[in-house]
Amino acid sequence: METLIAGYRRFRTKGWPERRKLFEALAESGQRPKAMVVACIDSRVDPAMIFDAAPGELLTVRNVANLVPPCAPDGAHHGTSAALEFGVRMLEVPHLIVLGHGMCGGVRSLLEGAPDRAGDFVANWMSIAEPARLRAVRCAPNEDRQEYCEHEVIKVSLANLMTYPWIAERVAAGKLELHGAWFAIHSGVLMMLLPNGSFVAADGSD
Ligand SMILES: [Zn+2]
């Protein structure tokens, strides 16, 4: 905890004075994020860092393996769905990005089975991505299966986004665009999902 408090002290002496005006403006006029990101909880994949975004620019929801559950307004506690409702219906973000990543522990547990000590919630949560697991097992050789499945998980989440009527309506009306992206931890390269299902470097490089 001491390291964190030391980090906070650095923020107060350096980061806060630099950004004071921005925070004051955001406090006064409210947030108007340019995009919403559904990302993994992985500590190595920080959407604000990857997109070099300032406070107020990105609305982010993070969960294990950047999954979007299908729309199920059943009275249970749906954290990700609540965040989506807030971002899409209240803040009306124009872009919604599902950001997956390499070496994802959630995807590994989907392919290899969740460890017993993560059996209360992780396995059931990852079952959302069962169609991705099946496609990976069917279509990819063993050594490529992890990355193939990470890509397929992004596609499952994008398909599930369209089960929310207020997302499908906005997409049809051209008010909201959905995007898939995948971040390679070992190289720092961001790949974007194309309509044909393949991923290409976001900045046009190889
Ligand atoms: Zn992950």
Side-chain angles (χ1 to χ4, degrees):
M1 202 56 208
E2 276 169 25
T3 332
L4 295 182
I5 299 298
Y8 169 68
R9 288 212 174 91
R10 288 195 299 278
F11 165 71
R12 284 300 289 174
T13 51
K14 189 167 184 297
W16 176 253
E18 279 171 8
R19 294 185 150 170
R20 183 179 190 141
K21 280 200 163 52
L22 171 62
F23 275 102
E24 283 172 353
L26 286 168
E28 200 172 305
S29 61
Q31 58 171 333
R32 202 98 190 114
K34 297 173 187 167
M36 177 165 185
V37 183
V38 180
C40 183
I41 55 170
D42 194 300
S43 61
R44 301 163 294 182
V45 184
D46 177 358
M49 185 192 71
I50 293 169
F51 293 108
D52 192 24
E57 289 184 348
L58 279 187
L59 190 78
T60 304
V61 56
R62 299 178 72 166
N63 61 43
V64 173
N66 41 269
L67 285 174
V68 174
C71 183
D74 55 12
H77 299 126
H78 295 293
T80 297
S81 308
L84 287 168
E85 184 169 49
F86 189 78
V88 173
R89 299 180 91 179
M90 302 293 291
L91 297 179
E92 303 202 307
V93 290
H95 295 276
L96 187 39
I97 302 151
V98 176
L99 174 64
H101 70 98
M103 308 162 90
C104 183
V107 171
R108 188 171 302 116
S109 78
L110 177 69
L111 289 169
E112 297 173 6
D116 285 346
R117 61 184 190 279
D120 285 351
F121 295 102
V122 171
N124 187 48
W125 173 252
M126 286 309 302
S127 72
I128 295 169
E130 180 63 9
R133 188 189 72 80
L134 290 174
R135 289 201 288 267
V137 168
R138 208 177 297 137
C139 304
N142 248 337
E143 63 273 22
D144 298 335
R145 206 161 274 170
Q146 169 81 20
E147 189 172 311
Y148 189 98
C149 194
E150 287 160 2
H151 289 173
E152 291 303 310
V153 162
I154 294 164
K155 295 173 194 173
V156 167
S157 284
L158 288 168
N160 284 347
L161 280 173
M162 291 297 279
T163 65
Y164 293 75
W166 26 269
I167 289 180
E169 279 163 20
R170 282 170 174 78
V171 170
K175 291 179 179 165
L176 175 62
E177 280 182 39
L178 308 186
H179 311 269
W182 179 86
F183 179 70
I185 287 177
H186 65 285
S187 64
V189 169
L190 182 72
M191 313 282 283
M192 296 300 295
L193 174 62
L194 296 180
N196 70 7
S198 61
F199 283 78
V200 293
D203 60 2
S205 64
D206 279 327

